[in-house]
Amino acid sequence: MSDIQQNSGSKSGDGKDIAGREFLAFTLGSEEYGIDILKVQEIRGYEAVTRIANAPEFIKGVINLRGIIIPVVDMRIKFKLGTPVYDQFTVVIILNIGGRIVGMVVDSVSDVTTLSPEQVKPAPEMGTAFSTDYMIGLGTIDERMLILVDIDKLMSSSEMGLIDKLAA
């Protein structure tokens, strides 16, 4: 791996600091997203979760991952992308965010992509449910477009409350 891939780096917003890194592509609804592959611990098939009383709707519950109880977030609910459907393609991406293990339910995963500087464009400002605060930029691969998500920033955001609340 190159030094660029090893560096989690600061997000300057111009997309150049993330170019050359590998991203795991996944789908939510009709859109494709990408997250830094270095944050991904493993990918598992969707399994039933244990609901936690009074948890926000987007927190599906918890699962026991080899003796570690981890929270599972449903990204379709979080991003208000309609009612999630759980089928044979639904997967849980197990993330390691600052030493905390978190599960993220997505519709499917497709591939791992390395993006060059020319393939990363800055995120446009949009007044939508998906705040551009959590977007690194847009990755373009031929006719595909990946919405690159700053998964650290999203999972540790105050509205998610996962990293702070669960670090007790």
Side-chain angles (χ1 to χ4, degrees):
M1 287 189 172
S2 69
D3 291 335
I4 290 174
Q5 288 173 309
Q6 293 295 335
N7 179 12
S8 60
S10 64
K11 308 293 184 268
S12 65
D14 64 4
K16 302 303 182 229
D17 53 342
I18 57 155
R21 290 220 317 247
E22 292 180 314
F23 289 86
L24 175 67
F26 63 90
T27 58
L28 292 171
S30 59
E31 301 299 325
E32 272 197 294
Y33 296 81
I35 56 172
D36 185 344
I37 192 70
L38 297 178
K39 303 295 178 190
V40 177
Q41 182 171 305
E42 66 182 275
I43 299 169
R44 303 170 53 90
Y46 182 76
E47 58 191 68
V49 299
T50 302
R51 281 289 291 158
I52 302 293
N54 299 321
E57 185 184 1
F58 58 83
I59 297 182
K60 290 298 294 177
V62 295
I63 60 172
N64 185 338
L65 181 70
R66 293 183 292 280
I68 301 168
I69 304 301
I70 63 168
V72 176
V73 176
D74 191 309
M75 299 309 279
R76 280 191 82 159
I77 297 171
K78 172 65 184 143
F79 292 160
K80 299 176 177 61
L81 296 172
T83 305
V85 176
Y86 305 103
D87 58 24
Q88 71 272 24
F89 301 109
T90 306
V91 295
V92 179
I93 301 171
I94 306 296
L95 302 167
N96 188 330
I97 311 276
R100 295 289 308 163
I101 310 298
V102 178
M104 178 172 88
V105 180
V106 300
D107 292 344
S108 65
V109 294
S110 49
D111 58 5
V112 176
T113 303
T114 302
L115 296 174
S116 67
E118 307 79 56
Q119 292 175 300
V120 179
K121 309 290 185 241
E125 283 301 318
M126 299 178 289
T128 63
F130 183 73
S131 169
T132 53
D133 291 348
Y134 309 126
M135 282 178 65
I136 299 168
L138 296 170
T140 54
I141 307 116
D142 300 322
E143 297 300 308
R144 290 170 65 196
M145 188 170 296
L146 289 182
I147 300 167
L148 303 177
V149 179
D150 184 338
I151 200 66
D152 285 314
K153 203 173 198 181
L154 177 63
M155 289 297 178
S156 61
S157 68
S158 60
E159 76 220 42
M160 289 289 259
L162 280 177
I163 305 304
D164 294 334
K165 285 183 188 169
L166 297 172

